[in-house]
Amino acid sequence: MTIREFHLDIPQADLDDLRERLSRTRYPVQTPGAGPERGMTVAELRELAEYWATGYDWRAHEARLNAHPQYVTEIDGQDVHFLHVRSPEPDATPLVLTHGWPGSVVEFLDMIGPLTDPRAHGGDPADAFHLVIPSVPGFGFSAPLTSSGWTLNRIARAWAALMAGLGYERYGAQGGDWGSGISRELGLIDPEHVIGVHVNYLMTFPSGDVGDFGEDDQERLAKLEEFTGDRGGYMAIQSTRPQTLGFGLADSPVGQLAWIAEKFRDWTDRPVDRDRLLTNVMLYWLTNTADSAAQIYWEFAHAWSMPQPSPTPLGVAVFPHDIVLPIRKLAEQMDKVVHWTEFATGGHFAALEEPELLVGDVRAFFRGLR
């Protein structure tokens, strides 16, 4: 495996073009009486876009990303970008962290220090990890796509190849959103090397009578139904016509911002720092990957089959304001669930909303598997 060093250095012309486009934004006319239940409002998006154009400093956040070692390698014909942050602790456990949509490697920035160097963050050095944080093919700097067919299974196989290429024979996996599915798939296809999988998002589906489910589980089923219905419009579009959507998002930065910011508004327990949100949006805008990132929905929808039982130990962190909440009895039908934590705060973007809680849960899960 040939690994090339990677350093972010976005041309100033690209940043100037972004600001010029933002200055020419044509906003829709707000329908009287239409609130956030219909999507982003003009007022909230205009305020965020104006800050993006006049107050946000990309170079500061570019420098923060560049503070961590980054690389690119080719796997299965596709360039894969990844952060590789080794712990100062020699016996640290390798761990691959995987983001989802509409996220990126930016989600994990607040977790890197505590996970790699717990000694310096008030933790036990025995809980240290060597971190590998890849950009999913089609996302960010793992683009452009060189082929179609990047299913969760294929991505997991790429991750297994990456970890082997880095010399890691025993490692863990962690993820949320699509990163959850990829991590679980990794434990399924590489159980000889994956010691455990930790997720902070898990969809569980009933397959029969749910009459014996308790009140809490019934509420979770209702939330799943709401997500697949009223709140799943973006998923239906990206699963069926991602290319058509991509034209608007590739041409309009405010369109791209609205498409992502709505999810950060609706799927969180409390607002995410707007600079971090905009840095995440920037990775989509600067790399022109709205279309290629959405392809993961198409691939999943057209390759879907019933999930297979996994022998790899699974840990689940449940944050109450996530878009769906898993039901443990259903999870245990398919996975070897050995760790389950229900938190009182947090939502879908747990690494951004509650990094300390997520770090603590990851440490606790892998502590018994090292």
Side-chain angles (χ1 to χ4, degrees):
M1 179 178 289
T2 300
I3 297 176
R4 314 186 299 276
E5 291 188 359
F6 180 87
H7 184 83
L8 261 171
D9 187 14
I10 298 300
Q12 185 60 40
D14 290 357
L15 303 181
D16 294 341
D17 174 71
L18 170 60
R19 288 195 173 90
E20 195 271 334
R21 287 171 182 263
L22 288 170
S23 72
R24 293 188 295 106
T25 299
R26 185 177 75 164
Y27 290 93
V29 176
Q30 183 71 45
T31 300
E37 72 281 353
R38 303 193 192 192
M40 295 295 288
T41 65
V42 172
E44 62 184 336
L45 195 65
R46 187 190 295 273
E47 180 182 8
L48 187 56
E50 288 178 354
Y51 174 74
W52 193 11
T54 61
Y56 173 78
D57 181 5
W58 162 255
R59 294 301 183 194
H61 300 283
E62 181 182 68
R64 183 169 183 190
L65 281 164
N66 281 330
H68 302 292
Q70 299 177 71
Y71 305 90
V72 173
T73 191
E74 183 179 315
I75 304 175
D76 195 9
Q78 175 68 43
D79 273 355
V80 173
H81 161 263
F82 62 99
L83 282 68
H84 185 196
V85 188
R86 289 186 59 83
S87 170
E89 306 295 338
D91 295 328
T93 300
L95 179 67
V96 56
L97 300 176
T98 308
H99 66 85
W101 184 94
S104 69
V105 296
V106 169
E107 290 183 65
F108 299 113
L109 289 178
D110 290 337
M111 297 175 62
I112 291 175
L115 286 177
T116 58
D117 193 4
R119 188 192 301 268
H121 292 80
D124 184 346
D127 287 331
F129 296 92
H130 299 307
L131 296 182
V132 178
I133 311 175
S135 296
V136 173
F139 288 71
F141 298 100
S142 291
L145 286 174
T146 57
S147 67
S148 59
W150 280 97
T151 61
L152 302 192
N153 180 272
R154 187 177 177 187
I155 297 169
R157 292 185 183 280
W159 278 197
L162 175 61
M163 296 303 279
L166 294 172
Y168 294 135
E169 295 184 357
R170 296 180 71 255
Y171 62 93
Q174 198 286 328
D177 196 84
W178 286 116
S180 167
I182 294 166
S183 298
R184 185 186 180 279
E185 195 72 17
L186 183 55
L188 191 62
I189 60 117
D190 196 22
E192 298 85 0
H193 302 104
V194 178
I195 61 173
V197 171
H198 182 279
V199 298
N200 56 279
Y201 175 79
L202 184 67
M203 295 188 77
T204 53
F205 296 94
S207 57
D209 182 26
V210 297
D212 62 340
F213 282 43
E215 182 178 348
D216 181 64
D217 287 345
Q218 292 288 356
E219 290 177 357
R220 295 185 179 204
L221 289 173
K223 193 167 185 178
L224 173 63
E225 186 175 352
E226 178 189 4
F227 170 65
T228 56
D230 179 67
R231 302 179 70 183
Y234 80 96
M235 187 165 50
I237 294 172
Q238 296 194 150
S239 297
T240 57
R241 296 295 185 271
Q243 291 178 171
T244 304
L245 171 70
F247 286 100
L249 302 188
D251 190 57
S252 168
V254 168
Q256 177 69 90
L257 177 62
W259 193 240
I260 291 178
E262 180 195 88
K263 306 312 174 194
F264 276 80
R265 182 197 67 184
D266 292 352
W267 296 353
T268 52
D269 186 12
R270 57 184 176 83
V272 169
D273 176 76
R274 63 179 178 176
D275 274 38
R276 192 63 61 82
L277 165 61
L278 289 170
T279 301
N280 183 71
V281 173
M282 286 289 274
L283 288 196
Y284 285 81
W285 176 258
L286 295 172
T287 58
N288 192 16
T289 50
D291 169 49
S292 60
Q295 298 296 329
I296 195 171
Y297 287 86
W298 169 276
E299 302 293 355
F300 179 79
H302 291 79
W304 187 86
S305 61
M306 287 297 295
Q308 299 300 309
S310 175
T312 304
L314 179 73
V316 182
V318 182
F319 291 87
H321 294 275
D322 208 339
I323 48 181
V324 297
L325 300 178
I327 296 173
R328 182 163 187 169
K329 67 169 66 175
L330 295 178
E332 290 175 341
Q333 294 175 7
M334 299 301 299
D335 289 279
K336 184 181 177 182
V337 178
V338 300
H339 177 94
W340 189 282
T341 308
E342 301 268 349
F343 289 103
T345 59
H348 190 64
F349 301 96
L352 288 172
E353 298 176 69
E354 301 288 355
E356 292 184 5
L357 294 180
L358 186 56
V359 164
D361 206 61
V362 170
R363 288 174 177 171
F365 169 66
F366 284 103
R367 195 170 292 144
L369 300 174
R370 296 171 186 270

